[in-house]
Amino acid sequence: MIMKEFSSTDMKIIMATFEILQEEGFAKATTKKIAAKAGVNEVTIFRNFNNKNNLVEITKDYYRQVLIVKLKEIFDFYEDETIEEYLKISFFGILNLTDEDFSILRVAMEEVRADPGKKILISDVTDVVLNKLEEFFQLKIDKDIIRKVNPKSLAIMCFGMLFQSVMLWKVYNHDLDFESNYYADDLLNIMFEGLNPND
């Protein structure tokens, strides 16, 4: 994915827009407030971005690309990685995302809540994770490391169990009241050993 390059002034405006969106949401994010936060004249915003809607879309697209690049790195894998290694590394990769990264997800979720028809940012993020997980599980199936099951189903299960819960907790600033190492181990144990009691 090739990131579009912006001038330093445009980047100041984009960063200011993102801050205002986090703090106040779309409705209250006026070009006047954005200009003040960016330290530019309001005319510069209109000259460089035409209007508020265009600026907001460019801002969301920029931060979406930033997050997607990070997620692709987190969920990338080596052919010889075990399932346990891969899922644990990915799990801690999510835990170690920055507050700004989780703010991108928060803005995406607020966007969907405000307008259920707008799911681009959140669905792109979800698709990146699910596609990488599915690719990993398909590789393991092809190598006869795991039995032939639907790799998409496995991807969805892992996404829900190990990642979505942590993403949501972090997005909404809940302290994780568990030892994350044990949480990952417990979920992986349930995944591999099932729920039936041992004989």
Side-chain angles (χ1 to χ4, degrees), residues 10 68 103 114 176:
D10 285 353
I68 284 173
S103 292
L176 303 180

Side-chain angles (χ1 to χ4, degrees), residues 23-156:
E23 295 164 5
E24 304 190 34
F26 177 79
K28 295 181 182 173
T30 65
T31 52
K32 184 174 267 185
K33 287 178 185 175
I34 292 166
K37 188 166 277 284
V40 300
N41 191 304
E42 196 175 5
V43 173
T44 305
I45 291 176
F46 291 113
R47 185 173 41 241
N48 295 8
F49 296 95
N50 298 325
N51 57 53
K52 176 185 147 182
N53 286 344
N54 194 43
L55 169 59
V56 168
E57 289 308 312
I58 288 169
T59 298
K60 287 190 297 192
D61 188 57
Y62 173 79
Y63 281 96
R64 177 183 64 85
Q65 289 182 55
V66 166
L67 183 58
I68 284 173
V69 166
K70 287 186 180 183
L71 288 172
K72 281 183 176 175
E73 287 174 11
I74 288 170
F75 286 92
D76 210 1
F77 54 84
Y78 300 105
E79 273 195 36
D80 59 346
E81 256 179 323
T82 68
I83 295 170
E84 292 94 332
E85 288 170 336
Y86 175 64
L87 292 178
K88 268 193 135 174
I89 289 166
S90 303
F91 176 77
F92 286 106
I94 292 291
L95 277 179
N96 291 323
L97 285 171
T98 66
D99 289 341
E100 182 177 87
D101 296 325
F102 284 107
S103 292
I104 298 168
L105 288 171
R106 194 176 305 113
V107 167
M109 289 172 164
E110 292 302 320
E111 174 187 49
V112 171
R113 187 165 38 183
D115 182 357
K118 286 198 164 191
K119 297 178 182 162
I120 295 170
L121 201 158
I122 198 68
S123 64
D124 282 356
V125 165
T126 302
D127 287 349
V128 164
V129 175
L130 287 174
N131 290 341
K132 290 303 280 183
L133 286 166
E134 185 178 355
E135 187 184 334
F136 175 78
F137 287 124
Q138 185 62 60
L139 175 72
K140 297 304 173 185
I141 290 166
D142 293 344
K143 291 183 160 210
D144 288 325
I145 292 169
I146 57 176
R147 67 185 177 92
K148 289 188 177 16
V149 293
N150 184 340
K152 187 178 269 322
S153 296
L154 265 177
I156 290 168

Side-chain angles (χ1 to χ4, degrees), residues 144-183:
D144 288 325
I145 292 169
I146 57 176
R147 67 185 177 92
K148 289 188 177 16
V149 293
N150 184 340
K152 187 178 269 322
S153 296
L154 265 177
I156 290 168
M157 182 183 76
C158 289
F159 179 70
M161 279 180 22
L162 285 174
F163 309 112
Q164 191 174 30
S165 54
V166 173
M167 284 176 160
L168 289 172
W169 283 323
K170 295 277 274 184
V171 161
Y172 290 106
N173 291 322
H174 289 295
D175 287 330
L176 303 180
D177 60 350
F178 56 78
E179 173 55 53
S180 51
N181 237 347
Y182 294 128
Y183 178 75

